[in-house]
Amino acid sequence: MQEKLLSNTQTSFDDIKESYAAICENIEKAKSAAGRTDDVRLMAVTKTVDPERINYAIGLGIDLLGENRVQEFMDKREQYSPAEVHFIGGLQTNKVKYIIDKVSMIHSVDNLRLAEEISKRAGQHGLVMDILAEINIGGEGTKGGITPESTGEFCAQVRELPHIRLRGLMTIPPPGCGEDTFEAMQRLFNDLRADKSVNTGAFDTLSMGMSGDYETAVKHGSTIVRIGSGLFGYRKYL
């Protein structure tokens, strides 16, 4: 069911600029506190955001966009300034064909049937699609995602598909969860990265952290933080 946008309090260009600077500063502080020297990518999540504001954010230096909805992405994509796009929302198998040659990574892969369809469609285009396995780290019944206990088996199966490259893991921790949840996700990622049946040299991405928890996520190894409302303002849905 399509969500209905009830109100839109997207920020002004000046507010976006100020928020972007603050987020970048906070990421660097979180990296420093964790003793990290590697890169953390800031993804601008563009659900319901108009192309004008998206392009303004790109002009500030953002080079990675996150799209949640296939149809919205298809409607807006030709209006974007050049930027890399990842698909981060729930993806039905019958929608894979529309985005397979238009995004560089799919974050929300949580079942083998979807992975197989992505591999099939990528093969038809002569591509190898980068994907992340989505993990339900909080065990929430209302969310998709693979259980932590079955992640190793799932990743080993996905690795065998010919037109997929498993780059790592993605998760949405429960709202208000403790830091131990982020620690558990970091351990799972590190364990799989050390597992040669899963990691063939490209397992390097942990997509974790959104507007309300990205600093904690960076502390615990996230390499991509997905920021929507913290950058573009809050939207209320029915």
Side-chain angles (χ1 to χ4, degrees), residues 24-60:
C24 290
E25 182 179 355
N26 291 340
I27 288 173
E28 290 304 313
K29 286 180 179 178
K31 283 175 56 180
S32 179
R36 295 181 58 181
T37 58
D38 57 328
D39 291 333
V40 175
R41 296 192 74 184
L42 168 56
M43 171 191 286
V45 178
T46 53
K47 180 178 177 180
T48 77
V49 181
D50 61 86
E52 187 178 19
R53 282 177 170 75
I54 294 168
N55 289 336
Y56 180 77
I58 292 170
L60 293 175

Side-chain angles (χ1 to χ4, degrees), residues 215-230:
E215 292 167 273
T216 303
V218 170
K219 178 180 177 181
H220 293 290
S222 177
T223 64
I224 296 177
V225 293
R226 309 179 303 270
I227 310 295
S229 58

Side-chain angles (χ1 to χ4, degrees), residues 100 112-131 154-166 200:
I100 194 65
L112 189 58
R113 182 167 172 259
L114 175 58
E116 290 170 340
E117 181 68 12
I118 292 169
S119 182
K120 171 188 169 183
R121 296 294 182 176
Q124 291 172 349
H125 286 270
L127 302 172
V128 175
M129 176 56 68
D130 286 341
I131 69 163
F154 176 77
C155 289
Q157 291 173 323
V158 165
R159 201 202 74 168
E160 300 301 317
L161 296 172
H163 296 283
I164 275 181
R165 179 166 47 232
L166 179 63
T200 57

Side-chain angles (χ1 to χ4, degrees), residues 176-189:
C177 68
E179 200 163 327
D180 57 328
T181 303
F182 292 86
E183 292 172 349
M185 192 67 200
Q186 184 179 28
R187 283 195 303 272
L188 179 62
F189 175 70

Side-chain angles (χ1 to χ4, degrees), residues 53-74:
R53 282 177 170 75
I54 294 168
N55 289 336
Y56 180 77
I58 292 170
L60 293 175
I62 286 175
D63 61 0
L64 178 60
L65 307 180
E67 284 286 352
N68 292 77
R69 298 168 171 168
V70 171
Q71 189 58 57
E72 181 182 349
F73 170 51
M74 298 298 289

